[in-house]
Amino acid sequence: MSDLILIRHGETEWSVSGRHTGRTDLPLTPDGEAEARTLAPFFEGLSPSFVLTSPLRRARHTADLAGLRDAAMDEDLCEWDYGGYEGLTTARIHETRPDWSLWTDGVPPHADGRPGESAEDVGRRADRVLARIAPLLAASQEDGVVVAHAHLLRVLTARYLGLPASEGRLFLLTTATVGRLSTEHGLPVVAGWNQRPLPRVRT
């Protein structure tokens, strides 16, 4: 079974300030674009069996700048819908809910009526993605690639490992970094995490 490479998008204004950025479709900052370009040498000369990306532009632009221009968009790879906490920092939320945790307490509805999502809701989306790509990874000798968002990718990793979605809290993932999900003796493992990739050395 081939590996699954995970890429978090590059920096945005809200990722710098720590604001929850779910469905708000922010662009990359100039530094975020530069971060995304550093990913390109890693993929030079490689032919992933598939490339999937969130439809949000910060992920799509990261894929493009990394040289992954044939990515297919998957709605299930959108970031966690933070509902009424969209655009707020955790510190701001803690002013009124000191013990609040996204992973266990969920979010209030958005002003427009959207209910937001729980960890379990995001987990169900991650499960659908994993179910769709499992046969692709099994059938190819080339790795697959997913370009998406921090919380979504953390939940997806937890579900890949057979953990509850809320255990995504364990997998901190910074902007424009790479994770690798693999197998050892038939069991799912994390083979690399939060890495700044280096160009592959050809001999």
Side-chain angles (χ1 to χ4, degrees):
M1 185 169 176
S2 299
D3 290 353
L4 180 61
I5 298 172
L6 308 180
I7 299 174
R8 182 186 173 187
H9 64 76
E11 174 192 280
T12 69
E13 287 188 10
W14 284 14
S15 70
V16 173
S17 59
R19 298 170 69 181
H20 285 86
T21 318
R23 304 307 169 89
T24 303
D25 204 6
L26 295 179
L28 299 178
T29 64
D31 284 346
E33 292 179 343
E35 286 181 332
R37 290 189 186 97
T38 67
L39 300 167
F42 179 80
F43 295 104
E44 185 180 351
L46 300 183
S47 300
S49 57
F50 61 86
V51 180
L52 298 179
T53 181
S54 159
L56 297 173
R57 59 178 166 168
R58 57 192 184 271
R60 290 187 288 110
H61 197 190
T62 296
D64 286 344
L65 293 174
L68 302 167
R69 296 185 177 85
D70 295 325
M73 290 186 292
D74 189 326
E75 291 286 340
D76 281 330
L77 291 174
C78 280
E79 180 59 300
W80 197 312
D81 186 340
Y82 301 119
Y85 287 160
E86 181 79 6
L88 299 183
T89 64
T90 298
R92 176 74 180 277
I93 297 166
H94 282 171
E95 291 176 5
T96 55
R97 297 182 67 184
D99 298 324
W100 175 80
S101 168
L102 174 67
W103 299 101
T104 55
D105 298 327
V107 297
H110 193 275
D112 66 7
R114 292 200 324 272
E117 290 182 303
S118 66
E120 291 73 24
D121 293 331
V122 182
R124 282 187 283 272
R125 292 198 281 116
D127 286 347
R128 290 196 294 266
V129 173
L130 291 171
R132 287 194 290 271
I133 66 178
L136 303 178
L137 293 173
S140 176
Q141 295 184 352
E142 301 293 339
D143 297 335
V145 181
V146 166
V147 185
H149 313 273
H151 280 133
L152 180 282
L153 291 174
R154 292 169 69 174
V155 171
L156 186 145
T157 298
R159 297 302 301 139
Y160 177 88
L161 296 172
L163 301 172
S166 61
E167 293 304 279
R169 65 184 179 83
L170 300 171
F171 304 103
L172 180 67
L173 191 62
T174 55
T175 55
T177 54
V178 174
R180 180 180 290 272
L181 304 182
S182 188
T183 57
E184 182 182 41
H185 307 306
L187 298 175
V189 297
V190 176
W193 196 254
N194 226 31
Q195 296 178 328
R196 301 282 182 186
L198 297 173
R200 177 168 292 191
V201 177
R202 293 180 177 84
T203 58

